[in-house]
Amino acid sequence: MANGACQFAALAGAVRWALHVPASARGVREDVCNFLALPENNDWFRPFLSGGDAGDPTACVARMRGRFFWGDGVTLKAAARVLRVTIRYWSTAPGVAGYSEVHPLPADGPPRAVLFLGHMHEVHWVYLAPEGEGDSRARRGVPRAVRK
């Protein structure tokens, strides 16, 4: 069952791999929502909202905090700013199929790392790492059968 966490889980996996720090889907979602909830960020992300959300960013963020809100372009842009990373992703989405990048704003400071993600349109987000390096447990020699 889809729970809306795959973009956040992919970001967390990429953070663990690239920055060698603990990260979870729940933590990334919370950081992104807290960032978007700040009044000073309303003007920054309001142009990305459509429909009723455009007039009420607070309500949009409240829904984002829910378990079944899927990550989207707004959350990806916010993650780049919150995590202070460049996000390079390959997508099959119409209009953006292929390679794209999302950067933090210059005011956020220089990027700490580059995260690599893959996006299967309307299906799933994953993080990408060189073969054999994507799972820290693989680097520690934990047999594949016990990795979860």
Side-chain angles (χ1 to χ4, degrees):
M1 175 170 78
N3 67 5
C6 66
Q7 184 187 77
F8 302 105
L11 287 163
V15 164
R16 288 190 305 270
W17 180 79
L19 298 174
H20 308 288
V21 297
S24 68
R26 183 178 298 175
V28 172
R29 182 190 294 267
E30 184 176 328
D31 290 346
V32 165
C33 290
N34 289 344
F35 172 82
L36 292 173
L38 294 171
E40 60 266 28
N41 292 326
N42 278 215
D43 289 339
W44 171 78
F45 90 98
R46 189 184 308 266
F48 301 113
L49 302 177
S50 60
D53 287 339
D56 191 1
T58 305
C60 180
V61 172
R63 277 195 315 286
M64 278 182 195
R65 291 184 189 281
R67 193 171 157 208
F68 294 98
F69 186 95
W70 292 23
D72 58 13
V74 172
T75 56
L76 199 64
K77 288 173 178 62
R81 294 197 61 195
V82 169
L83 300 170
R84 218 176 77 231
V85 295
T86 294
I87 300 169
R88 293 183 181 157
Y89 66 97
W90 288 263
S91 179
T92 61
V96 296
Y99 168 81
S100 297
E101 281 191 1
V102 178
H103 302 276
L105 296 180
D108 299 329
R112 300 182 306 156
V114 177
L115 307 184
F116 298 91
L117 302 181
H119 176 233
M120 286 75 71
H121 181 60
E122 299 293 334
V123 178
H124 198 49
W125 282 89
V126 296
Y127 77 97
L128 306 173
E131 186 173 349
E133 293 187 30
D135 185 334
S136 62
R137 291 170 289 192
R139 287 181 274 177
R140 291 194 310 250
V142 175
R144 184 169 300 279
V146 298
R147 293 184 213 149
K148 295 180 182 180

